[in-house]
Amino acid sequence: MAERGNRGVEVLGGLSLLSLAGALAAIFLYAPTERVMGIVQKIFYFHVPSAWLAYLAFFIVFVSSILYLAERARGFSISLLIRLFPPARASLRSWVKARPWDRLALSAAEIGVLFATLVLITGPLWARPVWGIWWTWDARLTTTLILWFIYVAYLVLRANIDDRERRARFSAVLGIIGFLDVPLVHFSVEWWRTTHPGPTVINPAGPSLPPEMLQTLMLSILAFTLLFFYMLLHRLRLERMRDEVEELKTALEVSGTA
Amino acid sequence: MNSGAEQQIQWEVEVKGLSKYFGPRPALRGINLGIARGEFLALFGPNGAGKTTLIRILATLLPPTAGTAKVAGKDIRREGEGIRGLIGFVSHLPLLYDNLTARENLSFFGRLYSVLDLEARGDELLEEVGLTHRQHDLVRTYSRGMQQRLALARALLHDPAVLLLDEPYSGLDPQAVERLQEVLAGLARRNKTVLLATHNLEEGFEISHRLAILAQGRIVWEGERDALDRQELRALYRQYAGAG
Amino acid sequence: MIGFISKVFAILGKDLTAEIRSREILSGMFIFALLVILIFNFAFELQRGELASLAAGVLWVTFAFAGVLGLNRSFVLEKDRGSLEGLLLSPVDRGAIYLAKMLGNLIFILVTEAILVPLFAFVSNLALPLLPLLPVLLLGSLGFSAVGTVFAAMATSTRTREIMLPILLFPVVVPVVIAAVKATEVVFGGRDLSSVADWLRILIAFDVIFTVVSFLTFEYVISE
């Protein structure tokens, strides 16, 4: 079973490699160079997919956090979430069943922070030649920065709790609160900016994108998304193996002291 | 559980195959234990044997890794809140608010347990643990022994079906131990179901009905108190749990 | 339901009584807040002209710092003295514990603000528009303690404790800080609240969402 899973992962890896190559070719050979901004504009094909994947990743953290708590709650606690799921027999190790959701949340959070970091790096790289400044408190950039802080806090929290079960529980709560905060952060930052309008109104993803650029962007998003899922599956596999090692250690300990 | 007669007994506390791991470290490894209604069981074990873990699981403060347990007929996993209303818990920490007086502490917990006629119940318990004269003093001015007696009063407030005592004697001077002993003996006489966990063989031997020894996360010996004297218990304990 | 509410108030009353006796949390928060304002004063040399726009920011940063201090204490005290266990052992819905703790933290923050704001206005010769300021203080502080209570409960069970709380809390409360600062600025500027309806809406949305979510998830951060 593990082997078949691996083959699926490898196929996905090949696909993302191919589409990345295609996207790169399209970015540098097919898409026209923007007249005003010049070659720098091509960062946009990396910036936008990264932003999309960061949000997708944080959404995955959100959903798997809810599912983790719901799975855990099944059988021994009254929780509103239970009602969303068919009543199940009280499981002996309900948290073992919930465990995959925690692995997914962790994996998605790590990769999400990675892509959010890419957004925060590519943004200033683009802004410097175009706006003349490295950083601006532009609404989108600021929102991404705050999200980056929230999910870095998520990883710091995990690193500071030794007990696996408690770590999963606490981070699930943060995974839920953090994502529900996204729209609030977005609106407050946007309104905050509009009171002091700066050079930030320029919208690189305007609707008047030439078709070649739009096609290239779409291809780039597709390639990055495939890459994202490839990384996610690998990260999940690593975490699952880590869990198995933990369980083997436990088993050894038990038989050793028995 | 080896004889047919035992299966007829109505267990007030029933533990089956209970295990608890902290990470890879086992604290309890397949505990089976029953305490009948009205029985006083003294559970001996050295530090680190798993006594506290077991009691905390029964008190619904800690979820087990595997196995089941029922307290007062309720499942610890599913009916935690129900169990909490039916047990009294005393540990080496007093679990009291030291910026409140004894009376205020009892009134506060009384409200949490929905105790009716709080005033009278408080009078009665303060009398029983001998703190009536100090009831309006802040708990932080109390000696360790007085705090521990008040902790016992707090645990008895709602007239619980089951009492879980985890090293209630630790840090007490001999006089306070004696005093607490009297109160506990009173419980045994009133047919309360009691689980007393301690590392000290002197404590609890006299007043208990049954004894068990816990070592390295397992019940290694279990039997009637009347079946042996102190010397024999000490020998057994040394054999199973190492140091006596 | 009546039992639930009565338990919430039992826990809240217990916390307030204990605090009135020891003043451990409030005195700490208040002195710390004064020091923050003093340092701001040296850092910016607050002048009369720019005061109205800076005052709002200075005040809310001060509240946030002092608030973190108070939030941390509220659970550290319970945990270190083992009394939290007594609370968790009682047949009380974890949601009731959350509400009581949250209201307690809210009251501590509001009391600090009630002393600090007039003092600040007095020292800096600033007109104090009390009535329009009240809802802003209330809504902002509510949002802060709604999530702060959950994060404080979490932080006390981590290895780094005091450091963990601001790392968790500050990014999440950014909307509250922005909205509250903007609304306070307008109020200090002498305009009335209707011009900041959008900011109040953000505050209300934050308060409602996070009080409900925290209420529902609190049992996962408080028990073992």
Side-chain angles (χ1 to χ4, degrees):
Chain A
M1 197 190 90
E3 251 178 37
R4 199 145 50 127
N6 281 353
R7 177 160 314 154
V9 173
E10 293 324 316
V11 168
L12 187 62
L15 280 178
S16 51
L17 198 68
L18 277 178
S19 56
L20 273 176
L24 277 177
I27 289 169
F28 290 105
L29 302 175
Y30 175 66
T33 304
E34 221 268 349
R35 238 174 291 137
V36 188
M37 297 184 241
I39 194 91
V40 192
Q41 182 267 343
K42 296 204 184 287
I43 277 187
F44 162 72
Y45 301 111
F46 301 89
H47 184 76
V48 174
S50 302
W52 140 250
L53 289 174
Y55 279 88
L56 177 67
F58 299 150
F59 180 67
I60 293 177
V61 177
F62 174 62
V63 172
S64 40
S65 295
I66 293 178
L67 289 173
Y68 174 78
L69 292 184
E71 187 66 54
R72 225 186 140 269
R74 258 198 336 192
F76 65 91
S77 161
I78 352 149
S79 162
L80 290 180
L81 296 168
I82 290 183
R83 292 180 201 158
L84 298 171
F85 295 90
R89 201 164 44 86
S91 68
L92 282 185
R93 298 164 143 232
S94 55
W95 106 266
V96 172
K97 280 207 231 148
R99 183 92 191 109
W101 295 118
D102 181 53
R103 290 198 289 253
L104 181 58
L106 165 66
S107 309
E110 274 185 4
I111 301 173
V113 167
L114 175 73
F115 279 106
T117 311
L118 281 180
V119 175
L120 294 176
I121 293 172
T122 51
L125 281 182
W126 177 85
R128 174 68 187 158
V130 176
W131 289 339
I133 33 171
W134 288 110
W135 181 263
T136 167
W137 294 98
D138 159 76
R140 291 175 194 215
L141 226 49
T142 309
T143 303
T144 312
L145 178 67
I146 293 164
L147 286 192
W148 185 84
F149 271 118
I150 292 179
Y151 288 91
V152 166
Y154 179 95
L155 298 179
V156 173
L157 176 71
R158 296 190 71 104
N160 275 292
I161 304 174
D162 293 323
D163 183 66
R164 283 200 300 170
E165 191 270 341
R166 178 190 292 169
R167 187 195 303 146
R169 236 179 325 124
F170 283 18
S171 50
V173 172
L174 181 57
I176 294 170
I177 291 181
F179 195 77
L180 290 176
D181 206 30
V182 172
L184 292 165
V185 170
H186 178 80
F187 284 120
S188 58
V189 169
E190 202 162 88
W191 291 345
W192 170 60
R193 286 321 301 172
T194 47
T195 47
H196 295 280
T200 60
V201 215
I202 306 161
N203 186 350
S208 56
L209 216 57
E212 291 88 356
M213 285 193 178
L214 193 65
Q215 287 155 5
T216 308
L217 177 64
M218 286 306 159
L219 183 59
S220 183
I221 288 180
L222 174 76
F224 266 73
T225 309
L226 288 174
L227 177 68
F228 169 83
F229 281 106
Y230 177 61
M231 290 165 78
L232 188 65
L233 288 178
H234 259 296
R235 185 65 188 82
L236 268 174
R237 208 160 60 103
L238 181 67
E239 198 58 26
R240 197 167 49 235
M241 279 152 69
R242 206 172 267 173
D243 273 3
E244 277 165 20
V245 169
E246 281 292 311
E247 266 147 42
L248 282 177
K249 268 195 210 160
T250 306
L252 268 179
E253 190 115 357
V254 174
S255 60
T257 47
Chain B
M1 274 167 264
N2 28 31
S3 74
E6 261 184 299
Q7 275 163 20
Q8 306 300 316
I9 298 175
Q10 214 190 343
W11 300 114
E12 194 75 341
V13 175
E14 192 178 10
V15 181
K16 278 187 188 157
L18 201 71
S19 291
K20 176 71 186 178
Y21 287 84
F22 294 105
R25 198 169 50 82
L28 295 177
R29 297 183 290 171
I31 299 278
N32 292 304
L33 189 68
I35 307 175
R37 183 162 296 166
E39 193 173 43
F40 193 121
L41 180 105
L43 179 68
F44 299 113
N47 290 328
K51 302 186 300 287
T52 299
T53 307
L54 176 61
I55 286 208
R56 287 171 61 85
I57 288 175
L58 293 178
T60 75
L61 284 173
L62 209 61
T65 310
T68 56
K70 281 187 172 180
V71 176
K74 292 180 192 291
D75 187 293
I76 52 162
R77 289 173 195 270
R78 273 169 300 174
E79 297 162 288
E81 203 166 324
I83 290 180
R84 288 196 282 271
L86 294 171
I87 55 167
F89 180 94
V90 179
S91 80
H92 54 281
L93 288 170
L95 312 184
L96 296 164
Y97 290 94
D98 46 10
N99 279 322
L100 301 183
T101 67
R103 175 63 83 165
E104 284 167 340
N105 264 293
L106 291 185
S107 302
F108 168 61
F109 284 106
R111 283 177 73 185
L112 296 190
Y113 285 94
S114 314
V115 174
L116 302 169
D117 204 7
L118 248 177
E119 198 67 17
R121 183 75 186 136
D123 289 340
E124 193 183 316
L125 282 166
L126 287 166
E127 181 68 44
E128 183 172 343
V129 298
L131 288 171
T132 308
H133 62 295
R134 293 286 307 269
Q135 59 172 306
H136 295 301
D137 294 342
L138 295 187
V139 169
R140 64 161 179 238
T141 65
Y142 281 24
S143 69
R144 176 100 181 92
M146 289 163 72
Q147 287 193 7
Q148 209 56 3
R149 273 183 279 146
L150 183 59
L152 191 65
R154 186 197 69 90
L156 293 171
L157 199 57
H158 50 298
D159 197 22
V162 178
L163 269 164
L164 304 171
L165 313 173
D166 180 22
E167 302 277 3
Y169 300 96
S170 79
L172 297 189
D173 57 67
Q175 207 183 342
V177 167
E178 203 170 305
R179 187 85 199 238
L180 191 58
Q181 195 87 344
E182 277 168 32
V183 180
L184 293 184
L187 293 178
R189 278 194 300 276
R190 273 183 300 171
N191 283 329
K192 286 270 176 210
T193 308
V194 183
L195 172 60
L196 167 71
T198 172
H199 69 280
N200 189 336
L201 299 181
E202 302 303 318
E203 299 158 353
F205 181 80
E206 296 291 339
I207 48 180
S208 61
H209 304 128
R210 217 146 51 87
L211 311 171
I213 298 177
L214 185 70
Q216 293 180 337
R218 287 209 173 91
I219 301 274
V220 288
W221 184 86
E222 199 183 341
E224 297 299 316
R225 201 271 318 263
D226 296 336
L228 74 178
D229 60 29
R230 272 168 203 270
Q231 242 59 48
E232 289 167 314
L233 173 68
R234 219 166 276 147
L236 263 176
Y237 189 75
R238 207 166 296 136
Q239 177 192 338
Y240 285 114
Chain C
M1 193 60 205
I2 293 167
F4 182 90
I5 293 170
S6 126
K7 286 173 187 180
V8 170
F9 282 104
I11 301 171
L12 178 62
K14 176 268 299 176
D15 279 346
L16 294 183
T17 312
E19 179 58 25
I20 286 167
R21 294 215 176 112
S22 70
R23 290 183 211 93
E24 246 168 285
I25 296 174
L26 273 176
S27 59
M29 284 172 78
F30 181 64
I31 293 169
F32 182 74
L34 281 183
L35 286 172
V36 172
I37 286 189
L38 183 75
I39 288 169
F40 265 122
N41 188 57
F42 289 135
F44 291 144
E45 296 195 41
L46 297 174
Q47 296 301 315
R48 203 175 149 67
E50 57 204 17
L51 205 58
S53 60
L54 275 181
V58 169
L59 279 177
W60 279 100
V61 168
T62 309
F63 299 157
F65 285 170
V68 163
L69 211 65
L71 284 169
N72 253 330
R73 292 315 288 165
S74 72
F75 281 101
V76 169
L77 285 183
E78 290 255 10
K79 199 133 191 157
D80 288 352
R81 291 176 190 164
S83 48
L84 188 62
E85 207 136 272
L87 209 53
L88 293 178
L89 273 167
S90 335
V92 182
D93 189 291
R94 271 61 180 128
I97 301 180
Y98 168 73
L99 284 183
K101 283 284 167 193
M102 191 271 273
L103 289 174
N105 288 325
L106 176 62
I107 290 172
F108 294 155
I109 295 176
L110 286 177
V111 168
T112 311
E113 290 169 356
I115 308 173
L116 213 65
V117 172
L119 201 68
F120 182 77
F122 175 75
V123 172
S124 23
N125 278 317
L126 210 62
L128 190 62
L130 205 56
L131 216 57
L133 199 56
L134 268 180
V136 180
L137 288 179
L138 194 66
L139 290 174
S141 313
L142 176 61
F144 193 81
S145 38
V147 271
T149 302
V150 172
F151 288 158
M154 271 193 204
T156 36
S157 302
T158 63
R159 255 184 283 118
T160 37
R161 276 193 168 188
E162 272 86 354
I163 307 171
M164 205 60 231
L165 181 58
I167 293 179
L168 292 172
L169 181 59
F170 284 160
V172 172
V173 294
V174 160
V176 173
V177 174
I178 294 179
V181 166
K182 286 289 159 188
T184 309
E185 207 176 285
V186 167
V187 170
F188 272 143
R191 276 174 293 157
D192 75 318
L193 271 181
S194 58
S195 56
V196 289
D198 275 348
W199 293 122
L200 294 185
R201 249 175 247 137
I202 286 244
L203 285 177
I204 291 170
F206 190 98
D207 293 359
V208 170
I209 292 173
F210 287 113
T211 308
V212 172
V213 171
S214 306
F215 177 81
L216 291 177
T217 54
F218 191 67
E219 65 168 291
Y220 297 109
V221 302
I222 197 72
S223 46
E224 277 191 46

